[in-house]
Amino acid sequence: MAELGELKHMVMSFRVSELQVLLGFAGRNKSGRKHELLAKALHLLKSSCAPSVQMKIKELYRRRFPRKTLGPSDLSLLSLPPGTPPVGSPGPLAPIPPALLAPGPLLGPKREVDIHPPLPQPVHPDVTMKPLPFYEVYGELIRPTTLASTSSQRFEEAHFTFALTPQQVQQILTSREVLPGAKCDYTIQVQLRFCLCETSCPQEDYFPPNLFVKVNGKLCPLPGYLPPTKNGAEPKRPSRPINITPLARLSATVPNTIVVNWSSEFGRNYSLSVYLVRQLTAGTLLQKLRAKGIRNPDHSRALIKEKLTADPDSEVATTSLRVSLMCPLGKMRLTVPCRALTCAHLQSFDAALYLQMNEKKPTWTCPVCDKKAPYESLIIDGLFMEILNSCSDCDEIQFMEDGSWCPMKPKKEASEVCPPPGYGLDGE
């Protein structure tokens, strides 16, 4: 009961942000004014307070009020009446250690700095991670947290803790799949991500230099180094999200620990975050892309007319445009023609093949123009769908100035027509 009272005191001291984090962690509604959030948090504490929730309250309280560990001499001061000198004190009134003072601005003259200042606590900046198409976020286990430098040493170390709720543990366990070769995998995963500590826009994954990660005391495998592009260049790891599920303790009563080692860089900070995610397949993303609908063919016709409009400054007028119905990735006929909204070309690539390739190695680069073609900007071209459905015996078409099109002769037929010179010139 004493611990429950202590936890209640901690919750009562929380701000809106801490209350929202706590309620979100417990799967409760985190909207409302502060007094409403406080009432929800106290009800959560009174009704059913799992060990993971208790640990989260203590973690939030420590971040809210960072203070050094109390020693025996500090604790003895708590039991003394005000103004009573402790045993062995040379003066009539011993100064109260700064760690025992309530947090907040100090009144009166400035106090001396403690000889052993407390280590900087993790800072939660407004960093947001760029969403990953192949992962659906179920929950935030550690929000983006600064990898704070604790010393002037080149190599830094930071410790983090997170806990899983009973519901989250159940979600992970029920997603287990046994793969060929007796390998076990989970479609719902605990995912660790690193990025630059920047708040201007959503951040892509970015590893700190010389990164080492231990989860629950075990070394975490990281992506292998890429071959150096230049002679003498330092090899780099591809920065990707890390699946730490195999190293996690899948229990609601035992917390998980993460120890991160990295090399500090002047003027550059990094951020760490941990999420509960569901891994999606290329087939699932293709279904979602189809569900967005097919883009109206008139958009592509307008683009054709724009490209074939005579340029008054050009001496050569383009009156037609040839486009292939073969995918530049697989060299096979298109089935689901798509391209990115940011692409200026008409040539499409096959959505299914593009998603499969990015599932193995996520580059999200257009195979036609080599510009970025992220999943959220992909569209299925309605005009090409019409062409593919109505023209099954050719691999190339020609667009006219008015937006109309006609099939081009297949290459195989062309090669059959041409054997000897002068043969078959009067017809096909």
Side-chain angles (χ1 to χ4, degrees):
M1 291 300 291
E3 187 179 4
L4 191 62
E6 184 182 344
L7 291 170
K8 183 179 178 182
H9 169 74
M10 291 179 180
V11 171
M12 294 283 286
S13 67
F14 285 172
R15 298 168 296 189
V16 170
S17 57
E18 284 95 14
L19 291 170
Q20 287 178 330
V21 170
L22 175 61
L23 291 169
F25 175 79
R28 305 295 177 90
N29 187 351
K30 54 182 182 180
S31 61
R33 296 180 179 275
K34 183 178 180 180
H35 69 275
E36 295 169 337
L37 296 174
L38 185 58
K40 292 176 188 176
L42 291 174
H43 179 71
L44 168 68
L45 185 62
K46 188 177 179 182
S47 58
S48 58
C49 193
S52 57
V53 175
Q54 294 182 24
M55 201 176 77
K56 191 68 176 178
I57 292 172
K58 293 176 182 177
E59 178 193 337
L60 290 169
Y61 185 78
R62 282 196 301 271
R63 289 174 182 165
R64 174 82 171 92
F65 302 121
R67 55 176 67 184
K68 73 173 187 179
T69 306
L70 301 183
S73 58
D74 297 333
L75 292 172
S76 65
L77 293 172
L78 293 174
S79 59
L80 296 175
T84 307
V87 177
S89 172
L93 189 64
I96 300 173
L100 301 181
L101 295 171
L106 296 174
L107 301 177
K110 186 177 180 181
R111 295 179 180 271
E112 293 182 4
V113 178
D114 191 4
I115 298 172
H116 302 288
L119 296 176
Q121 295 297 310
V123 180
H124 296 284
D126 294 327
V127 172
T128 54
M129 295 295 298
K130 200 168 187 179
L132 299 169
F134 284 102
Y135 297 96
E136 181 182 352
V137 177
Y138 275 18
E140 194 178 52
L141 303 177
I142 299 178
R143 60 185 294 196
T145 304
T146 305
L147 292 176
S149 297
T150 56
S151 64
S152 57
Q153 300 298 320
R154 173 164 167 74
F155 294 100
E156 300 285 354
E157 182 172 290
H159 296 250
F160 302 88
T161 306
F162 71 91
L164 297 168
T165 64
Q167 181 188 4
Q168 290 169 340
V169 172
Q170 190 63 27
Q171 284 177 319
I172 296 172
L173 293 175
T174 53
S175 75
R176 179 176 175 175
E177 292 181 350
V178 179
L179 302 175
K183 186 182 176 184
C184 169
D185 201 4
Y186 299 91
T187 54
I188 295 182
Q189 305 169 355
V190 180
Q191 186 182 80
L192 171 65
R193 299 183 71 181
F194 294 91
C195 71
L196 289 173
C197 195
E198 295 286 342
T199 58
S200 55
C201 61
Q203 295 297 300
E204 294 186 349
D205 292 86
Y206 197 105
F207 285 169
N210 300 314
L211 177 67
F212 288 92
V213 178
K214 279 187 177 181
V215 179
N216 296 319
K218 294 181 181 178
L219 194 62
C220 179
L222 300 175
Y225 284 99
L226 295 171
T229 53
K230 298 178 182 177
N231 290 334
E234 188 176 340
K236 291 184 177 180
R237 294 185 190 273
S239 298
R240 296 176 189 160
I242 306 167
N243 177 17
I244 61 173
T245 318
L247 302 176
R249 297 185 180 117
L250 302 181
S251 167
T253 56
V254 184
N256 290 272
T257 59
I258 299 175
V259 180
V260 181
N261 295 91
W262 77 101
S263 296
S264 61
E265 290 182 292
F266 180 74
R268 176 174 280 187
N269 291 320
Y270 297 89
S271 179
L272 168 148
S273 51
V274 179
Y275 305 90
L276 187 70
V277 299
R278 180 167 75 98
Q279 188 174 23
L280 306 177
T281 63
T284 305
L285 290 193
L286 183 59
Q287 288 176 5
K288 291 170 69 176
L289 183 60
R290 287 180 185 273
K292 282 168 61 177
I294 298 173
R295 201 178 196 213
N296 193 308
D298 290 340
H299 286 281
S300 295
R301 290 193 182 98
L303 182 60
I304 294 164
K305 292 175 183 178
E306 181 184 332
K307 285 182 173 294
L308 295 179
T309 300
D311 184 358
D313 297 329
S314 176
E315 295 180 2
V316 180
T318 306
T319 57
S320 64
L321 190 66
R322 294 174 66 167
V323 177
S324 173
L325 298 180
M326 305 290 284
C327 175
L329 288 170
K331 308 303 178 186
M332 297 177 67
R333 187 177 169 86
L334 294 166
T335 54
V336 185
C338 86
R339 64 176 185 273
L341 287 168
T342 50
C343 292
H345 51 79
L346 276 166
Q347 180 65 58
S348 296
F349 48 85
D350 192 73
L353 193 54
Y354 183 70
L355 293 173
Q356 288 169 17
M357 293 184 71
N358 279 283
E359 186 176 22
K360 293 179 180 177
K361 187 180 179 182
T363 58
W364 300 107
T365 303
C366 175
V368 179
C369 63
D370 282 335
K371 293 181 180 177
K372 285 293 180 184
Y375 175 73
E376 58 272 14
S377 71
L378 296 181
I379 51 104
I380 298 176
D381 192 304
L383 179 58
F384 272 80
M385 286 295 289
E386 286 182 0
I387 295 169
L388 289 166
N389 291 332
S390 60
C391 179
S392 58
D393 58 347
C394 74
D395 298 335
E396 196 173 24
I397 57 166
Q398 186 170 8
F399 287 114
M400 305 303 175
E401 289 177 272
D402 59 355
S404 61
W405 61 275
C406 64
M408 300 292 291
K409 186 180 295 184
K411 290 182 181 178
K412 288 183 180 178
E413 286 186 23
S415 61
E416 289 171 4
V417 171
C418 304
Y423 175 78
L425 293 177
D426 54 345
E428 292 185 358

